[in-house]
Amino acid sequence: MLSEFDLISRYFTRAPRSNIDHIALGVGDDCALLMPAAGTQLAISTDMLVEGRHFFPDAEPFALGHKCLAVNLSDLAAMGARPLAFTLALALPEAREEWLKPFSTGLLALADLHQCELIGGDTTKGPLNICITVFGETLPGQALRRDAAQPGDDIWISGTLGDARLALAAYRNELVLDAASHAQAASRMHQPTPRVALGMALRGIAHAAIDISDGLVGDLGHILKRSGVGATLAVDSLPAGTVLSRQPQAIRRRFTLAGGDDYELCFTAASANRAAVQAAAQSATIGVTRIGTIDAKSGLRLHDANDAALDLQLTSFDHFRST
Ligand code: ADP
Ligand code: MG
């Protein structure tokens, strides 16, 4: 059986990377020491993943390691921040190497992709619970805040929506997918891609941004509320995931609007910036789609392809209301 300190040193401690200069001290002391560049602001965010709530008890550990950092990096992306470092607080029922090795490999592979170093954490015995705090860097006045949308702004979305929710529906036997389609949709659910490069490229171009974790309607709703505005969405122009796009319209609409677990960026930008948004997306090698408009009038209006009003009953994911 591994001791707590063996476990930390074997799976979560690495030699300092030569290409990273913003960390003065990493894992092993009472605190880590970070060196954000002069004049920058720290962007900080925490996300907790709990077994049985955010992932299945038999979740594959490599993908789980990826996902728990991905959802945190997605919050930095939604702020337009550059990832610097993260901490990991881990409760584990037992120190099993068959779990720890793939988990830390998946986690640290994504960390390396974004030069975001693991600088510390806490490890304890208990029901599986993974809590990550990320630290990022942004410039004063350049963060993409939820309260910055303006009437007349275009509303944009990166990538595609709904495949993660479609995979969940298949797991729950709400619908049937063939094996290949299910596997394809499930990879969106288990290994989301945080849109970090896009968030950074949108600094100075976008007004407000949020990442889609609980569903577009609910998450866009946060921007609307904080910005004191409303919006009109062109529901049938929402980009559905590859697998979802083969489903009937009612499912397409429901899962693009209120799917959850997509980790795409929804952002607003002045219509004068359309070309700049497209150039930012191209530099980040991700597609973006214009899906609606910010209105001065409060509330969210859903329109179909003929611009007729739709009345869809949708709820976004709320841990204390739904199951
Ligand atoms: P303390 O008792 O001072 O809080 P710990 O014994 O909890 O220290 O941790 C020892 C060192 O290992 C610290 O630097 C801490 O940040 C780090 N650490 C603990 N758990 C983890 C983990 N899961 N991942 C990365 N670093 C960790
Ligand atoms: Mg500790």
Side-chain angles (χ1 to χ4, degrees):
M1 192 70 175
L2 280 172
S3 79
E4 176 188 335
F5 298 105
D6 287 342
L7 182 164
I8 295 166
S9 85
R10 190 170 310 174
Y11 297 109
F12 300 115
T13 311
R14 302 191 299 176
R17 322 275 79 206
S18 55
N19 59 340
I20 291 184
D21 57 9
H22 51 261
I23 292 155
L25 187 63
V27 171
D29 214 312
D30 297 309
C31 291
L33 299 173
L34 262 186
M35 288 195 298
T40 59
Q41 287 179 333
L42 270 183
I44 303 169
S45 180
T46 298
D47 260 310
M48 180 157 66
L49 277 80
V50 176
E51 183 180 272
R53 168 54 66 177
H54 301 95
F55 56 90
F56 300 129
D58 60 352
E60 204 274 301
F62 182 96
L64 189 58
H66 172 102
K67 183 166 181 175
C68 64
L69 181 58
V71 303
N72 278 278
L73 290 173
S74 181
D75 285 317
L76 290 182
M79 218 61 192
R82 177 169 84 100
L84 296 177
F86 70 104
T87 59
L88 168 68
L90 193 59
L92 283 173
E94 53 189 341
R96 277 179 41 233
E97 303 191 47
E98 313 86 82
W99 189 91
L100 279 159
K101 189 166 199 278
F103 174 80
S104 72
T105 306
L107 177 81
L108 296 175
L110 184 64
D112 284 345
L113 210 57
H114 295 281
Q115 301 197 344
C116 184
E117 274 297 281
L118 176 56
I119 55 167
D122 199 20
T123 307
T124 174
K125 200 175 164 87
L128 185 56
N129 187 320
I130 306 159
C131 181
I132 286 182
T133 298
V134 278
F135 301 84
E137 189 177 84
T138 185
L139 293 167
Q142 290 219 350
L144 307 175
R145 298 166 51 134
R146 295 180 182 186
D147 61 5
Q150 293 174 20
D153 277 2
D154 294 323
I155 305 171
W156 297 82
I157 192 92
S158 67
T160 63
L161 298 170
D163 269 1
R165 179 62 181 86
L166 186 64
L168 181 64
Y171 283 124
R172 287 178 173 167
N173 297 315
E174 293 168 7
L175 50 77
V176 178
L177 292 178
D178 65 79
S181 298
H182 193 187
Q184 197 179 355
S187 76
R188 285 294 307 262
M189 176 181 176
H190 297 308
Q191 281 185 267
T193 306
R195 304 299 182 193
V196 173
L198 177 63
M200 288 169 64
L202 288 171
R203 291 194 280 209
I205 295 170
H207 285 150
I210 192 166
D211 65 318
I212 306 299
S213 53
D214 298 335
L216 174 62
V217 165
D219 288 327
L220 174 62
H222 295 307
I223 289 185
L224 303 184
K225 193 166 175 203
R226 296 284 294 275
S227 299
V229 294
T232 305
L233 282 185
V235 172
D236 295 321
S237 68
L238 292 175
T242 320
V243 188
L244 181 59
S245 58
R246 300 194 288 264
Q247 292 289 318
Q249 184 185 60
I251 293 178
R252 263 193 345 255
R253 283 178 172 170
R254 212 170 97 218
F255 288 179
T256 50
L257 282 166
D261 247 6
D262 296 306
Y263 300 100
E264 295 296 350
L265 294 186
C266 176
F267 57 95
T268 83
S271 57
N273 277 352
R274 281 179 193 171
V277 167
Q278 290 289 2
Q282 203 160 20
S283 77
T285 62
I286 179 71
V288 289
T289 307
R290 201 149 46 79
I291 59 169
T293 315
I294 295 290
D295 308 324
K297 182 181 164 196
S298 68
L300 179 65
R301 287 156 289 282
L302 303 177
H303 284 187
D304 69 9
N306 301 316
D307 217 21
L310 282 170
D311 183 17
L312 303 175
Q313 297 301 315
L314 299 160
T315 47
S316 76
F317 197 82
D318 178 332
H319 287 284
F320 292 100
R321 280 195 320 204
S322 46
T323 50

